[in-house]
Amino acid sequence: MKYRWNWLRDRLEELGTNPSRFAKDLDWPASRVYELFSGKTKAIPLDRVAKAAAILGVRLDDMINFNSGLTDNICFSQKPDNISYEINTSSVPELDLYNLRDTVFSVEPEVESDFLNETGYTYTASLTSPKRIKDNWKIPEEYLEEINIKHNNVYIIEAISDSMYPTISSGDKAIVDTSPKGRFPSPDGIFAIWDGLGVTIKRLELIPNSEPPALKIISDNPKHNTYERLVDQCKIIGRVASIIKKV
């Protein structure tokens, strides 16, 4: 179905920006911009129309008439104001934890505290061997802020099993927060963990009033078993903050 504001998405793409950035420039919730596309929201608030016209390169009177519903036509008759739409990105490493490249990993002196070793499970970029870096993704810093993680604490891990299907499918990429907060299993959530054999992604629930503290380790796929472990027995790499899904 075609809605009146569908042109806005195309215009933002033409300007090299996106609805979320447009909303931020207007100091307006991003959800309201997306509601313009669906027709749920009919207009931009009047106190933001002039700013929107300047960003989009639309004559103010034309923007006011369209926004008020007096016309369905929009004409880009001027260049946008000198507003930079450069998107700042962070380089986020994707880790080759499963040896998918048929690389024989050697434990070098500078990575003796890498979480894959038996003797230590801390996990920081400075302690990760370059041989384990599969790729580097350019992730907008604005998005990392939105999911509340710092660029120096974020890594991407590929899911390679169906244990979390349909929430996470094999081949999906998990954006993992490895900060101290991200490694703490409360509140409940989805985490990347080391289970003694390899890295896996599971849903963790802290068992109430357990002493010593214990976790329930859950697969969303009912074909896989749920089991329990003491917190001290679990090597939590980090909380899954977001998923890049295959289609």
Side-chain angles (χ1 to χ4, degrees), residues 127-144:
L127 297 177
T128 301
S129 168
K131 294 181 181 179
R132 294 196 175 103
I133 303 299
K134 179 180 179 181
D135 205 347
N136 282 284
W137 291 60
K138 295 297 184 181
I139 305 292
E141 292 180 2
E142 184 178 342
Y143 180 69
L144 295 179

Side-chain angles (χ1 to χ4, degrees), residues 160-173:
I160 62 168
S161 79
D162 67 349
S163 67
M164 288 299 291
Y165 182 82
T167 309
I168 302 173
S169 301
S170 180
D172 289 349
K173 310 287 186 178

Side-chain angles (χ1 to χ4, degrees), residues 21-246:
R21 181 62 183 271
F22 178 65
K24 186 175 182 179
D25 289 338
L26 289 185
D27 192 23
W28 201 38
S31 60
R32 301 300 298 277
V33 175
Y34 286 101
E35 287 175 357
L36 289 173
F37 304 142
S38 67
K40 186 175 180 180
T41 292
K42 304 298 183 183
I44 294 173
L46 290 178
D47 60 343
R48 293 171 171 83
V49 170
K51 182 70 176 292
I55 293 172
L56 298 169
V58 178
R59 284 169 50 100
L60 180 56
D61 55 346
D62 288 346
M63 191 71 187
I64 291 173
N65 288 337
F66 180 88
N67 193 63
S68 302
L70 299 178
T71 178
D72 285 335
N73 298 319
I74 199 76
C75 179
F76 306 117
S77 58
Q78 56 181 303
K79 293 183 178 179
D81 282 0
N82 189 23
I83 298 176
S84 173
Y85 286 105
E86 181 180 354
I87 298 176
N88 295 322
T89 62
S90 290
S91 182
V92 177
E94 178 183 353
L95 302 184
D96 185 15
L97 301 181
Y98 313 107
N99 207 10
L100 297 179
R101 296 181 301 173
D102 297 323
T103 302
V104 177
F105 292 140
S106 61
V107 180
E108 302 168 6
E110 67 270 23
V111 295
E112 287 181 351
S113 296
D114 192 288
F115 76 90
L116 290 178
N117 291 335
E118 292 294 332
T119 56
Y121 292 88
T122 57
Y123 183 45
T124 64
S126 61
L127 297 177
T128 301
S129 168
K131 294 181 181 179
R132 294 196 175 103
I133 303 299
K134 179 180 179 181
D135 205 347
N136 282 284
W137 291 60
K138 295 297 184 181
I139 305 292
E141 292 180 2
E142 184 178 342
Y143 180 69
L144 295 179
E145 291 177 6
E146 186 176 321
I147 60 178
N148 198 29
I149 53 179
K150 303 292 186 181
H151 67 86
N152 56 331
N153 291 322
V154 58
Y155 299 87
I156 292 175
I157 295 174
E158 181 178 351
I160 62 168
S161 79
D162 67 349
S163 67
M164 288 299 291
Y165 182 82
T167 309
I168 302 173
S169 301
S170 180
D172 289 349
K173 310 287 186 178
I175 300 178
V176 180
D177 176 10
T178 64
S179 68
K181 174 176 65 72
R183 294 196 303 270
F184 189 67
S186 181
D188 302 340
I190 300 174
F191 292 80
I193 65 171
W194 172 264
D195 65 1
L197 296 175
V199 176
T200 186
I201 296 174
K202 298 288 186 181
R203 189 178 299 277
L204 302 184
E205 291 183 4
L206 196 60
I207 299 174
N209 305 315
S210 55
E211 186 56 44
L215 288 168
K216 184 180 292 185
I217 301 176
I218 304 165
S219 300
D220 284 7
N221 189 337
K223 294 180 180 179
H224 293 257
N225 294 328
T226 293
Y227 53 98
E228 296 180 3
R229 290 287 186 273
L230 296 178
V231 170
D232 289 345
Q233 296 174 330
C234 295
K235 311 305 179 183
I236 300 175
I237 299 167
R239 181 182 294 269
V240 174
S242 184
I243 295 292
I244 303 170
K245 294 193 70 68
K246 294 176 67 177

